[in-house]
Every structure is written in structure tokens, then in C-alpha cells.
Amino acid sequence: LYTAPDSCQGRCEEPYHEEDECHCNAKCERHHNCCEDYHTHCSPEGFSSSHDAIMDEDLLHISEQLYHADHNRAKPTDIAINPQYQVSPDQTGDQEDHSPEPLYQYVNEELFSKPTYASFIKLLDNYQRATGREEDVTAEELREQDNFLKEVMKTELMKKLFTFLHKKNRYDSEQEFVADLKEMWFGLYSRGSGEQDSSGFEHVFSGEVKKGKVSGFHNWIRFYLLEKRGLVDYFSHSYDGPWNTYPDVLGMQFSWDGFYKEVGSAFIGSSPEFEFGLYTLCFIARPGRVCHLSLGGHGLSIQTYTWTKSTYGNRRNYIATAYVISS
């Protein structure tokens, strides 16, 4: 299912990336850096044909499709932000509040009544933010997970993503895709000492606190709702994306209940299904590596990491984290 970094399954003729553990194109034999299963998968009679590989051009094309299918994104009149002070990259750890005003001056909260937003927001209070504390998942919370997946799968964006992954032989059916989404994003694993205390969704979208620092927390809706309640204090930003509309991208410094986040990158104004879909795409296509995309003609990259200490199903990996980076 996954293009595992140490395997050629689904990666035959994938372009060379220096960060890859091993390689699966025709030149790897000459350079003695092929993955061990190169001949199993990439020889003419191999299991995984080259047309199943997700090439860099495929990612640029499908990400543009997903960008244009994000019909639920905020309009320019829906959000007004006030980024204020920009710090240099070497100042992000200073923990100084350079911005006296909130980041969000205005958000049209009618956005939050859209089904994907409403079902997403219901998930945000389902988690203990401190790592090392066991998550107690109720029947209602499981229903909320299922409802969110049901709502996002109604969107054109997620249907396009499934169609792309289906053509690449990653999933046989939409039912299989949804079942895997639930495991990879909501399946619990331990960031502490064996407690089932974390999941990809909690880390990326809701945020966690580990060793006195904010961990994860890459979502604009979560940030806005907590800032409105006085629980998040915006300090500064170190990166502002090239867009003059939404989704924008900010790399932010902030305090959450006194816990500091040195760089919390986030899309601003995108729909929940947009982030969920892009992170899923990159986790499946480039797990543990930089995933280069094109959004509205602008180049942008997403970094994902797999959780390597436990697996589900047939040795599939959970999402450890996913976030947008500037290049």
C-alpha cells in the first residue's frame, strides 16, 4: 500500500531524491544504491509496474486538482489576519511576544456551519493534550470520527484524491480507502511509556504538549478558536506564504497556555478536507520525505513522518506528523 522508504513497492522509476534511503530507478544498479527488493518489484516480470509509481509530475498535477477542488476554502472577505512582527529564522526560539494584537482580526464563523468544518471542530476536544496520558475514546468520539470521514468523502476534493490513488493501485475501493484513513489518522499509539496517548490527527490538528513544549498543532481553525478564548497568544511569524488570497501559509511562534511553539506552520483559510487530503497524499506518496506540490501555480512542500514504533494491519504505518514547509 505505502511507498515505504526502504522498499521499491510502488516506486519503480521514481525520480532520484538525495534524502531517500535507497532508490528504484534504472541508474541505481550502477550507483549501488538500489533498495534490496528492486529486482522483485521493478524487473519486467516484477509485481509493481512503473505506472504504479507516484512520480513528481503526478504530485504536481494532482495537487493542483485538489487545490482547485477546495470549494469550501475561505473567501478573502471571510478572514482578516494581522501577522504583525516577522522574526528571522534564528529568532524563533527567543520566546518573546513581539505582537501585541491577536493574529485573527475577523473570521466569518458561518464557515464553521459547513458540514466538513462542523464535523472537524467536534473532533478537536476529544484529546488529552499531554503526552503520556492514556486517551479514553468514547463511543460518541468514534461516531464523530466516522462522521468527519463521511463528510469529507462527500467532497469533490477527496473523491479526486481517491480516484488518483485508485489508479495508482493503492486502494481497490473507496471503502478500503476510508477504513485506512481511519487507522492512519485516528489509530492510537504511544509517544510516552506505553500509554495509548497519541494519534496522527491529535498531533497534527489538535496539538499536544510534550516535555514542556507544544508539539504538532498545525491547524488554523484550532488556533483561531483557542485564541478567541484567550488560550493562545500569538507572538510572531517567521514565514508568510506567497498567496494574496486563501489558503495562505504562515510559520508562527505562539504560546498555548504558557507552552511555547517555536515554529507552527499552518495553512490559513483552507478547508479541513484540503489539509486532510494533502497530508494524506504526501504521507502515502512520500512518507518520511519532502513532498513537492503545486498549489495555484505556487510551489509548496509538505513534510510527513511515519510512526515507526508500532504498526497496524499488514505492517502499515500511522502518521507521526505532517506539516507544510515553505519550499
Side-chain angles (χ1 to χ4, degrees), residues 230-302:
L231 299 176
V232 161
D233 184 5
Y234 170 75
F235 280 18
S236 56
H237 68 284
S238 51
Y239 173 76
D240 189 353
W243 291 265
N244 53 15
T245 182
Y246 298 113
D248 198 358
V249 175
L250 276 182
M252 297 172 285
Q253 292 69 51
F254 60 89
S255 171
W256 179 19
D257 259 357
F259 299 102
Y260 186 64
K261 180 68 175 179
E262 192 166 316
V263 181
S265 61
F267 288 103
I268 309 291
S270 55
S271 69
E273 61 266 29
F274 178 77
E275 292 175 72
F276 192 71
L278 282 192
Y279 292 153
T280 298
L281 168 68
C282 285
F283 181 69
I284 292 171
R286 300 287 186 269
R289 292 171 283 162
V290 176
C291 176
H292 300 289
L293 308 177
S294 178
L295 303 174
H298 294 286
L300 196 97
S301 301
I302 285 171

Side-chain angles (χ1 to χ4, degrees), residues 64-114:
E64 280 291 355
Q65 285 191 319
L66 300 183
Y67 176 83
H68 290 290
D70 187 16
H71 306 305
N72 287 327
R73 75 172 69 129
K75 298 180 176 61
T77 53
D78 287 330
I79 301 176
I81 59 173
N82 182 17
Q84 298 166 82
Y85 191 83
Q86 183 166 2
V87 295
S88 62
D90 60 354
Q91 292 178 294
T92 57
D94 290 351
Q95 302 193 32
E96 290 187 34
D97 187 354
H98 296 286
S99 303
E101 300 297 321
L103 174 63
Y104 288 92
Q105 293 180 313
Y106 168 75
V107 171
N108 176 10
E109 293 194 8
E110 288 184 12
L111 281 172
F112 300 159
S113 64
K114 293 175 181 279

Side-chain angles (χ1 to χ4, degrees), residues 186-230:
F186 294 105
L188 293 174
Y189 51 82
S190 175
R191 289 183 190 265
S193 305
E195 310 88 356
Q196 298 293 91
D197 63 346
S198 187
S199 69
F201 186 92
E202 175 185 7
H203 182 87
V204 172
F205 293 107
S206 185
E208 298 180 293
V209 172
K210 184 176 182 180
K211 296 180 179 177
K213 292 184 178 180
V214 177
S215 182
F217 197 144
H218 299 287
N219 179 253
W220 75 272
I221 300 168
R222 174 71 161 163
F223 190 103
Y224 166 74
L225 293 173
L226 290 177
E227 185 181 60
K228 182 181 174 183
R229 292 166 55 193

